[in-house]
Amino acid sequence: MCGLLPWAVVKTIWTLGGDALSVTAEKWREENAGGSGVAKALVSVGIDVTVLAALAGIFLLLGLMYPWVQVFPRWTLLLTGRRVPRLLPLLPAWLSAIGLSVYGVVLVVYAPLSAADVLPRIAPDGAFTSSAGITWMVLFGGPAFGGLGFGLIAAARSYAARTRPVCAIAPTDAMPGN
């Protein structure tokens, strides 16, 4: 989760009106002016949609790590106290973890190779005015997305092992070879 910090801090600086990595707040707003009504409303109060999505990923990651995701909480009125279906947190974790992990690895490999001129430099695009600024942002994105993806893989495997159904018919000590 700590890999998200540099990326989220830069995005929040832009959203709150600051300048970072050769991007001005004005250019950032211009680039994101075409978003949906919800995105515009969130930006107006200083929340970037992608940072909000990252927070949802962190919530899923924490839920997979702790037992509180196994039973619906009190605020889910009709479901309070019932067991959470096993696949409800596992499916989004597995589906998002694979894409995030691959994307993060590609960014972590590409950014330094691009900076060293082994691969073509990342051309400034949109709000970015320098190649160095966009290269840093790509490098920040690697640990952010890859870290969250690999964290979700580990947490999902742990959750799947902890919640694996146990056969109630055959006791374990009656198995052949015991």
PDB file of all heavy atoms in Angstrom, residues 8-20 25:
ATOM      1  N   ALA A   8      -0.222   8.934  -5.362  1.00  0.00           N
ATOM      2  CA  ALA A   8      -1.415   9.590  -4.822  1.00  0.00           C
ATOM      3  C   ALA A   8      -1.116  11.008  -4.356  1.00  0.00           C
ATOM      4  O   ALA A   8      -1.944  11.910  -4.516  1.00  0.00           O
ATOM      5  CB  ALA A   8      -1.996   8.768  -3.677  1.00  0.00           C
ATOM      6  N   VAL A   9       0.075  11.236  -3.801  1.00  0.00           N
ATOM      7  CA  VAL A   9       0.443  12.578  -3.342  1.00  0.00           C
ATOM      8  C   VAL A   9       0.523  13.542  -4.530  1.00  0.00           C
ATOM      9  O   VAL A   9      -0.017  14.655  -4.474  1.00  0.00           O
ATOM     10  CB  VAL A   9       1.774  12.552  -2.556  1.00  0.00           C
ATOM     11  CG1 VAL A   9       2.354  13.943  -2.372  1.00  0.00           C
ATOM     12  CG2 VAL A   9       1.569  11.890  -1.201  1.00  0.00           C
ATOM     13  N   VAL A  10       1.161  13.113  -5.615  1.00  0.00           N
ATOM     14  CA  VAL A  10       1.273  13.977  -6.798  1.00  0.00           C
ATOM     15  C   VAL A  10      -0.113  14.273  -7.368  1.00  0.00           C
ATOM     16  O   VAL A  10      -0.431  15.416  -7.693  1.00  0.00           O
ATOM     17  CB  VAL A  10       2.201  13.348  -7.863  1.00  0.00           C
ATOM     18  CG1 VAL A  10       2.127  14.106  -9.170  1.00  0.00           C
ATOM     19  CG2 VAL A  10       3.629  13.319  -7.357  1.00  0.00           C
ATOM     20  N   LYS A  11      -0.961  13.248  -7.500  1.00  0.00           N
ATOM     21  CA  LYS A  11      -2.311  13.455  -8.031  1.00  0.00           C
ATOM     22  C   LYS A  11      -3.112  14.398  -7.133  1.00  0.00           C
ATOM     23  O   LYS A  11      -3.855  15.244  -7.617  1.00  0.00           O
ATOM     24  CB  LYS A  11      -3.049  12.119  -8.155  1.00  0.00           C
ATOM     25  CG  LYS A  11      -2.412  11.164  -9.121  1.00  0.00           C
ATOM     26  CD  LYS A  11      -2.751  11.504 -10.536  1.00  0.00           C
ATOM     27  CE  LYS A  11      -3.830  10.604 -10.977  1.00  0.00           C
ATOM     28  NZ  LYS A  11      -4.265  10.631 -12.298  1.00  0.00           N
ATOM     29  N   THR A  12      -2.949  14.266  -5.826  1.00  0.00           N
ATOM     30  CA  THR A  12      -3.666  15.136  -4.887  1.00  0.00           C
ATOM     31  C   THR A  12      -3.151  16.566  -4.965  1.00  0.00           C
ATOM     32  O   THR A  12      -3.937  17.515  -4.892  1.00  0.00           O
ATOM     33  CB  THR A  12      -3.547  14.579  -3.454  1.00  0.00           C
ATOM     34  OG1 THR A  12      -4.044  13.229  -3.454  1.00  0.00           O
ATOM     35  CG2 THR A  12      -4.334  15.407  -2.463  1.00  0.00           C
ATOM     36  N   ILE A  13      -1.845  16.754  -5.137  1.00  0.00           N
ATOM     37  CA  ILE A  13      -1.282  18.095  -5.293  1.00  0.00           C
ATOM     38  C   ILE A  13      -1.910  18.772  -6.501  1.00  0.00           C
ATOM     39  O   ILE A  13      -2.337  19.931  -6.438  1.00  0.00           O
ATOM     40  CB  ILE A  13       0.260  18.042  -5.415  1.00  0.00           C
ATOM     41  CG1 ILE A  13       0.891  17.698  -4.071  1.00  0.00           C
ATOM     42  CG2 ILE A  13       0.810  19.362  -5.942  1.00  0.00           C
ATOM     43  CD1 ILE A  13       2.377  17.391  -4.149  1.00  0.00           C
ATOM     44  N   TRP A  14      -1.992  18.059  -7.617  1.00  0.00           N
ATOM     45  CA  TRP A  14      -2.604  18.629  -8.820  1.00  0.00           C
ATOM     46  C   TRP A  14      -4.068  18.964  -8.589  1.00  0.00           C
ATOM     47  O   TRP A  14      -4.551  20.016  -8.990  1.00  0.00           O
ATOM     48  CB  TRP A  14      -2.501  17.658  -9.986  1.00  0.00           C
ATOM     49  CG  TRP A  14      -1.115  17.436 -10.505  1.00  0.00           C
ATOM     50  CD1 TRP A  14      -0.053  18.290 -10.432  1.00  0.00           C
ATOM     51  CD2 TRP A  14      -0.651  16.286 -11.177  1.00  0.00           C
ATOM     52  NE1 TRP A  14       1.046  17.744 -11.022  1.00  0.00           N
ATOM     53  CE2 TRP A  14       0.708  16.495 -11.500  1.00  0.00           C
ATOM     54  CE3 TRP A  14      -1.227  15.085 -11.549  1.00  0.00           C
ATOM     55  CZ2 TRP A  14       1.480  15.560 -12.168  1.00  0.00           C
ATOM     56  CZ3 TRP A  14      -0.470  14.152 -12.217  1.00  0.00           C
ATOM     57  CH2 TRP A  14       0.870  14.397 -12.524  1.00  0.00           C
ATOM     58  N   THR A  15      -4.782  18.057  -7.945  1.00  0.00           N
ATOM     59  CA  THR A  15      -6.213  18.252  -7.725  1.00  0.00           C
ATOM     60  C   THR A  15      -6.473  19.449  -6.806  1.00  0.00           C
ATOM     61  O   THR A  15      -7.451  20.169  -6.984  1.00  0.00           O
ATOM     62  CB  THR A  15      -6.837  16.978  -7.130  1.00  0.00           C
ATOM     63  OG1 THR A  15      -6.546  15.887  -8.006  1.00  0.00           O
ATOM     64  CG2 THR A  15      -8.329  17.100  -6.999  1.00  0.00           C
ATOM     65  N   LEU A  16      -5.593  19.653  -5.832  1.00  0.00           N
ATOM     66  CA  LEU A  16      -5.769  20.756  -4.879  1.00  0.00           C
ATOM     67  C   LEU A  16      -5.223  22.081  -5.398  1.00  0.00           C
ATOM     68  O   LEU A  16      -5.279  23.085  -4.702  1.00  0.00           O
ATOM     69  CB  LEU A  16      -5.126  20.404  -3.542  1.00  0.00           C
ATOM     70  CG  LEU A  16      -5.797  19.256  -2.782  1.00  0.00           C
ATOM     71  CD1 LEU A  16      -5.005  18.911  -1.526  1.00  0.00           C
ATOM     72  CD2 LEU A  16      -7.237  19.607  -2.432  1.00  0.00           C
ATOM     73  N   GLY A  17      -4.649  22.083  -6.616  1.00  0.00           N
ATOM     74  CA  GLY A  17      -4.216  23.349  -7.203  1.00  0.00           C
ATOM     75  C   GLY A  17      -2.730  23.591  -7.192  1.00  0.00           C
ATOM     76  O   GLY A  17      -2.274  24.680  -7.525  1.00  0.00           O
ATOM     77  N   GLY A  18      -1.928  22.599  -6.850  1.00  0.00           N
ATOM     78  CA  GLY A  18      -0.477  22.779  -6.827  1.00  0.00           C
ATOM     79  C   GLY A  18       0.178  22.309  -8.108  1.00  0.00           C
ATOM     80  O   GLY A  18      -0.445  21.690  -8.965  1.00  0.00           O
ATOM     81  N   ASP A  19       1.453  22.633  -8.247  1.00  0.00           N
ATOM     82  CA  ASP A  19       2.236  22.239  -9.412  1.00  0.00           C
ATOM     83  C   ASP A  19       3.269  21.197  -8.986  1.00  0.00           C
ATOM     84  O   ASP A  19       3.911  21.345  -7.940  1.00  0.00           O
ATOM     85  CB  ASP A  19       2.964  23.438 -10.005  1.00  0.00           C
ATOM     86  CG  ASP A  19       2.011  24.552 -10.413  1.00  0.00           C
ATOM     87  OD1 ASP A  19       0.810  24.269 -10.554  1.00  0.00           O
ATOM     88  OD2 ASP A  19       2.473  25.695 -10.587  1.00  0.00           O
ATOM     89  N   ALA A  20       3.437  20.139  -9.804  1.00  0.00           N
ATOM     90  CA  ALA A  20       4.440  19.106  -9.519  1.00  0.00           C
ATOM     91  C   ALA A  20       4.783  18.381 -10.805  1.00  0.00           C
ATOM     92  O   ALA A  20       3.937  18.216 -11.694  1.00  0.00           O
ATOM     93  CB  ALA A  20       3.905  18.118  -8.487  1.00  0.00           C
ATOM     94  N   ALA A  25      -1.401  23.068 -12.109  1.00  0.00           N
ATOM     95  CA  ALA A  25      -2.776  22.742 -11.727  1.00  0.00           C
ATOM     96  C   ALA A  25      -3.759  23.144 -12.826  1.00  0.00           C
ATOM     97  O   ALA A  25      -4.736  22.431 -13.083  1.00  0.00           O
ATOM     98  CB  ALA A  25      -3.128  23.436 -10.412  1.00  0.00           C
TER      99      ALA A  25
END
